[in-house]
Amino acid sequence: MGPDLVFSYAMWQDDETLESAQVRKLDYHVDAARADGAHRVLDVGCGWGSLLRRLVEAHQVEHAVGVTMSPGQAAWISEQRWPGREARAENWYDHQPDAPYDAIIAIEAIEHFAGSTLFRARRVARYREIFERCYAWLRPGGRLSLQANSR
C-alpha cells in the first residue's frame, strides 16, 4: 500500500512506481465506468477513500459516495473534510441511494459478498442480487466497473 492508501493490485507499465501504477488502476476503472465528469458515483468497498479522492480531484465528479464495512475508515474519510466526498459505514446490502448513480465502481469487493463457504447455488443467487441492485441504483445508461479476484 502506497501513500495514497490504495489497496489491491496495481497496473504496471515499464519502470513506474507503485504509486503511479495504483493511480493507473483507479483511472482505468473511472474510464471503464465512464465516470469522468459524472454527477454521482458510488465506490463499493471504498477503503481509505483513494478512489473517492481521485474521482473528485482528477475526474471532476461532483459527488462521490463510498460505502465501507469499517466504521474507522468511514470516520477517517469524514475527518478529512474533502469536498464532494461522502463515506458511509454500512453494509452495501443496506445501502439506500438518495438518487441514482451515474457510475458504480467496485474494486475487489465482490469476493466478500458471496464468500466461498456458501453452496454454489446460493453464491450464484447472491451475485445475481448484486448485479440487480447495481442495475437498480444506476441511472439509465449508467455503468458498472468491477474488479474481482478469481480462482
Side-chain angles (χ1 to χ4, degrees):
M1 181 166 48
D4 290 327
L5 303 177
V6 179
F7 287 112
S8 76
Y9 86 104
M11 293 181 75
W12 297 93
Q13 195 173 60
D14 301 323
D15 293 330
E16 68 185 328
T17 65
L18 171 64
E19 293 78 18
S20 63
Q22 288 174 325
V23 167
R24 178 183 317 288
K25 174 195 62 182
L26 298 178
D27 289 344
Y28 175 85
H29 286 285
V30 172
D31 291 344
R34 295 186 188 151
D36 198 65
H39 176 64
R40 288 174 48 86
V41 176
L42 175 64
D43 177 4
V44 178
C46 66
W48 297 101
S50 55
L51 178 60
L52 299 175
R53 286 185 66 197
R54 188 80 183 153
L55 285 163
V56 173
E57 294 174 6
H59 295 281
Q60 295 71 49
V61 169
E62 285 184 47
H63 189 78
V65 177
V67 294
T68 176
M69 293 287 291
S70 168
Q73 289 175 330
W76 185 85
I77 293 167
S78 296
E79 289 167 7
Q80 305 312 302
R81 300 191 191 284
W82 293 326
R85 282 146 287 203
E86 172 187 358
R88 300 179 185 181
E90 64 186 10
N91 187 319
W92 87 275
Y93 284 107
D94 299 326
H95 182 65
Q96 295 295 319
D98 305 344
Y101 293 105
D102 298 301
I104 298 173
I105 300 173
I107 299 175
E108 292 186 21
I110 195 168
E111 297 89 347
H112 305 288
F113 301 154
S116 60
T117 60
L118 296 176
F119 288 110
R120 184 178 187 280
R122 183 65 188 121
R123 282 196 319 268
V124 169
R126 183 71 57 90
Y127 289 132
R128 278 196 182 107
E129 183 180 1
I130 291 165
F131 290 112
E132 287 169 356
R133 285 178 185 242
C134 288
Y135 181 78
W137 294 342
L138 286 166
R139 67 160 175 75
R143 301 221 5 189
L144 166 68
S145 180
L146 174 71
Q147 175 187 315
N149 285 325
S150 63
R151 56 183 165 120

